[in-house]
Amino acid sequence: MQIQDFFRYTFNGIRAQRLRSFLTALGIAVGIGAVVLLTSLGEGLHHFVLGEFTQFGTNLIAINPGKITTHGVSGALLSNVRPLTIEDSASLKQLPHILDVVSVVQGNGAIEAGTHQRRATIYGVDASAARVWKFGVAAGRFLPDDPPRSARSFVVLGSKVRKELFGNNQALGERIRIGGELFRVIGSMESKGQMLGFDLDDAVYIPAAKAMALFNRESLMEIDLLHSAGSSSSAVAEKVKKALQARHGKEDFTITTQEKMLEILGGVLNTLTIAVGALGGISLLVGGVGILTIMSITVNERTGEIGLLRAMGVERNQILVLFLGEAVILAAIGGLAGLVIGVGGSWLFSLIVPALPAHISWAYVASAELLAAFVGLLAGVLPARRAAGLHPVEALRAE
Amino acid sequence: MISLQHIERVFQVGDEEVHALRDVSMTAAGGEYIAIMGPSGSGKSSLLNILGLLDRPDSGSYELDGVKVSELDEKEQARIRRHKIGFVFQFFHLVPRLTAFDNIALPLMLAGMKQDERQERVTAALAAFGLANRAQHRPDQLSGGQRQRVAIARATIMQPSVILADEPTGNLDRNAGIEVVEILEELNHQGITLIIVTHDPELGKRARRQILMVDGRIEDDR
């Protein structure tokens, strides 16, 4: 049998029952549409979250006090851990490949400007923070590069804090109170938006040493390192670990490279994508059952035809292939329609929710179509085997 | 040339064994015209199924054109059916969704002949059976006689050596029936072996040789 005749014959069988074939294909279409749409949303979320995390740059290494054990309990909760100090931070800056170091202390506090007051996040950082975290300054400048221990009382406002406290008035040069102490505003930041619920604009930035005094802390909460783009983050992390171990005598800190974090995060998000894809897979399964049902009915109805084909010298295997082919083509047509539904749906979704753009991965689309054909194949096996197993005499008697 | 030797066929119906064929032996030379007759349940259809390789005997041997076909496997039997045997059925067995043209072309298509080669042969067959202006009609748009002519055209398109017809006029009115029988007889004149199963004595009488079956045995052969 010529291949084009094979397709003509099976297509003919599908076309002969238009409504029924349409409904059956629709089942698969909905399934594939759901798989494509949901995986697109999953991928979109993936890109969105990774984008959020890489907006601070990608060559980052974070050091936190305390050794995180496999249970993830930070030693910082215990008192016998030697804290990270501003001196640690300064010493790390001398290491090769390290471009910048940021000492970080974070807390909440009341910020007063004249009669206005607002509680906001207070970041105690170094002058390098704007460079390392890729924050843009909207007006004035970021904190100056003062000696860490004797930094002057300057503050840089996040865009939201600036707007809440000063409205349209000039903020530069004004004095504000943070936790009762006076600071002079020397700059304000560009809006950076939210990251996973943290409003980065609802914050102020002051020198780390000042923040330590403010929160009555002896030590830093985190040290962020920016390493050169060409260097391997794990190699740099290893050097940092050695240097800090030499200073502390033991490993009482945890180093997290951005690379590692993104890797873990990517893994989690991929699992999520697969999970929502599997949800769509359930409707695909239902569509497959639809094909199974319709093909069983088709084999019943065409029993006489099967007998005829056998009488004309068609072998069992060819009968099997003919009916399998019909199931696969039916599913593939449904799959194509499903791709249109899924791709169109994700396009519509990105129009409605532009913040979370659905990302269509063509590898997913291609595998979804293959999946549809595979579902058809699987659903077709039982009816096609029944068709092939019919005794020609019995089959001929059916009509 | 057909030769059946000591064919036995037993069916299991419930717990009962039904002897459809008992020690059936017969030979038929090429180009013969045979009517197999008998009351219903006499085994004439079972015999036709054995002759058409649609069914295997429980014992005995069947030789067709010098080949012991009863010993062939399913694949080779299918090949023999494809090339040597044409079937004509009481209920025509046309594929309802295909046109007359495509129904006749079906055996050629299944045998893998290319479309342009089929075109010529099927067109010639349509003309020969008086169906030239019915080529694009589907079975439900054809009369009974026309349907059976399409079926005969399909049965002969592969140029078989034997035509097996099971009650070919059973579902036709008298005139259409006579017309169909005359077509089959004309094919027989051209050298095809024609074996008709019927319980219509009038149709049976037209054959040069009549085999009467009763209770699974050949009762009379003349």
Side-chain angles (χ1 to χ4, degrees):
Chain A
M1 198 168 178
Q2 304 265 325
I3 187 80
Q4 64 266 34
D5 287 331
F6 171 79
F7 280 115
R8 224 162 65 90
Y9 190 78
T10 45
F11 252 125
N12 208 302
I14 291 168
R15 253 211 336 248
Q17 295 282 350
R18 264 169 235 267
L19 181 65
R20 201 162 85 182
S21 299
F22 169 76
L23 291 175
T24 311
L26 187 66
I28 292 291
V30 168
I32 290 294
V35 169
V36 170
L37 186 62
L38 287 172
T39 51
S40 297
L41 294 184
E43 282 286 283
L45 187 70
H46 191 150
H47 281 247
F48 174 74
V49 171
L50 284 190
E52 290 280 289
F53 274 88
T54 50
Q55 64 178 324
F56 304 109
T58 45
N59 299 317
L60 289 179
I61 296 174
I63 306 164
N64 296 92
K67 178 71 190 156
I68 291 177
T69 67
T70 45
H71 299 294
V73 177
S74 169
L77 298 173
L78 308 169
S79 56
N80 62 349
V81 167
R82 180 175 164 154
L84 293 171
T85 62
I86 286 183
E87 286 69 33
D88 285 334
S89 178
S91 76
L92 292 177
K93 197 165 181 183
Q94 313 305 320
L95 292 176
H97 301 300
I98 300 293
L99 300 179
D100 261 320
V101 177
V102 188
S103 313
V104 185
V105 179
Q106 185 207 333
N108 280 299
I111 297 149
E112 297 165 52
T115 56
H116 290 73
Q117 192 188 25
R118 183 174 181 82
R119 284 194 78 85
T121 311
I122 298 162
Y123 286 102
V125 293
D126 295 325
S128 51
R131 292 195 297 274
V132 173
W133 293 341
K134 299 193 172 147
F135 284 6
V137 177
R141 57 196 197 85
F142 200 68
L143 298 172
D145 211 353
D146 285 340
R149 286 286 180 192
S150 55
R152 286 165 284 171
S153 296
F154 290 147
V155 61
V156 179
L157 305 179
S159 64
K160 191 167 190 174
V161 173
R162 199 207 76 87
K163 203 170 164 222
E164 292 293 330
L165 293 182
F166 293 98
N168 291 326
N169 298 329
Q170 178 62 262
L172 292 183
E174 294 296 324
R175 283 170 187 279
I176 61 172
R177 276 182 191 281
I178 300 173
E181 283 196 46
L182 272 177
F183 286 81
R184 173 178 291 174
V185 178
I186 60 163
S188 61
M189 309 301 291
E190 284 171 0
S191 177
K192 190 79 177 166
Q194 293 199 345
M195 190 189 84
L196 304 178
F198 290 103
D199 191 345
L200 297 169
D201 298 329
D202 199 6
V204 298
Y205 302 89
I206 60 176
K210 292 286 176 192
M212 283 162 68
L214 200 64
F215 298 129
N216 216 1
R217 286 185 64 103
E218 295 287 301
S219 62
L220 300 174
M221 294 169 74
E222 183 172 302
I223 299 174
D224 284 355
L225 306 172
L226 177 69
H227 63 84
S228 56
S231 54
S232 130
S233 64
S234 53
V236 173
E238 194 55 33
K239 284 208 181 72
V240 169
K241 185 169 140 187
K242 285 225 174 74
L244 215 51
Q245 241 172 344
R247 284 178 64 86
H248 288 200
K250 60 182 166 127
E251 193 182 340
D252 55 358
F253 52 86
T254 302
I255 296 177
T256 315
T257 64
Q258 176 94 352
E259 203 176 84
K260 188 87 186 160
M261 202 178 75
L262 290 178
E263 214 172 274
I264 293 167
L265 199 63
V268 170
L269 291 167
N270 276 338
T271 312
L272 190 76
T273 303
I274 291 167
V276 293
L279 280 180
I282 292 172
S283 47
L284 187 60
L285 191 76
V286 175
V289 172
I291 290 207
L292 176 69
T293 311
I294 286 301
M295 286 310 295
S296 300
I297 293 173
T298 299
V299 168
N300 264 338
E301 287 177 348
R302 304 231 298 256
T303 302
E305 181 183 328
I306 293 163
L308 171 76
L309 292 176
R310 294 296 305 280
M312 291 191 308
V314 175
E315 293 158 29
R316 277 174 200 275
N317 286 341
Q318 286 179 288
I319 299 275
L320 188 82
V321 170
L322 276 174
F323 279 90
L324 270 185
E326 205 168 310
V328 169
I329 288 173
L330 197 57
I333 291 171
L336 279 177
L339 293 186
V340 173
I341 294 173
V343 171
S346 14
W347 176 75
L348 211 65
F349 187 83
S350 9
L351 281 190
I352 298 164
V353 192
L356 191 69
H359 186 270
I360 294 156
S361 152
W362 293 105
Y364 270 121
V365 168
S367 44
E369 178 60 16
L370 281 179
L371 183 66
F374 182 69
V375 165
L377 188 72
L378 225 57
V381 165
L382 229 58
R385 277 179 61 106
R386 213 175 67 75
L390 285 172
H391 194 286
V393 172
E394 301 288 326
L396 280 168
R397 203 175 289 154
E399 217 166 290
Chain B
M1 171 74 186
I2 290 169
S3 165
L4 293 181
Q5 298 297 328
H6 310 298
I7 297 291
E8 297 275 343
R9 186 71 176 104
V10 182
F11 292 106
Q12 195 78 33
V13 180
D15 353 312
E16 226 178 311
E17 283 194 342
V18 177
H19 255 86
L21 296 174
R22 300 172 197 258
D23 192 22
V24 170
S25 300
M26 63 165 277
T27 55
E32 268 203 82
Y33 178 10
I34 304 172
I36 301 174
M37 302 174 65
S40 58
S42 60
K44 54 190 194 301
S45 286
S46 298
L47 181 58
L48 197 76
N49 290 336
I50 299 280
L51 286 170
L53 293 173
L54 293 174
D55 197 14
R56 280 175 186 272
D58 294 311
S59 67
S61 78
Y62 173 15
E63 206 171 292
L64 175 64
D65 293 344
V67 182
K68 279 216 162 188
V69 291
S70 53
E71 284 166 16
L72 297 178
D73 65 14
E74 120 112 33
K75 212 179 156 79
E76 285 169 338
Q77 285 196 347
R79 205 176 53 79
I80 301 255
R81 284 203 299 273
R82 192 152 63 227
H83 293 287
K84 296 210 154 174
I85 302 170
F87 290 91
V88 176
F89 307 97
Q90 179 178 359
F91 296 104
F92 323 130
H93 275 291
L94 299 177
V95 179
R97 59 179 189 281
L98 297 182
T99 61
F101 184 99
D102 285 337
N103 264 293
I104 296 170
L106 201 52
L108 301 175
M109 186 196 90
L110 292 166
M113 186 185 275
K114 288 209 178 75
Q115 195 163 1
D116 43 345
E117 291 173 49
R118 296 201 301 253
Q119 184 75 32
E120 203 178 320
R121 261 169 89 166
V122 176
T123 308
L126 280 163
F129 289 95
L131 294 161
N133 57 350
R134 290 283 178 272
Q136 295 309 315
H137 288 57
R138 276 198 301 275
D140 56 7
Q141 298 162 321
L142 299 173
S143 72
Q146 287 169 335
R147 286 184 210 186
Q148 197 59 302
R149 276 187 276 156
V150 171
I152 296 170
R154 179 184 64 195
T156 52
I157 197 78
M158 293 290 283
Q159 295 161 346
S161 59
V162 184
I163 285 187
L164 302 175
D166 192 355
E167 304 278 9
T169 61
N171 211 32
L172 298 175
D173 61 46
R174 201 183 137 76
N175 288 337
I178 289 171
E179 188 188 26
V180 161
V181 171
E182 281 171 353
I183 288 172
L184 288 172
E185 286 171 353
E186 173 55 30
L187 290 167
N188 175 245
H189 276 301
Q190 292 164 15
I192 298 179
T193 307
L194 175 62
I195 301 177
I196 294 179
V197 161
T198 182
H199 58 245
D200 175 2
E202 205 177 318
L203 176 57
K205 259 185 272 168
R206 297 177 68 115
R208 285 193 292 277
R209 177 178 167 193
Q210 287 110 27
I211 293 176
L212 179 66
M213 293 203 66
V214 175
D215 207 12
R217 275 183 235 280
I218 294 181
E219 186 85 3
D220 194 15
D221 186 349
R222 59 193 159 84

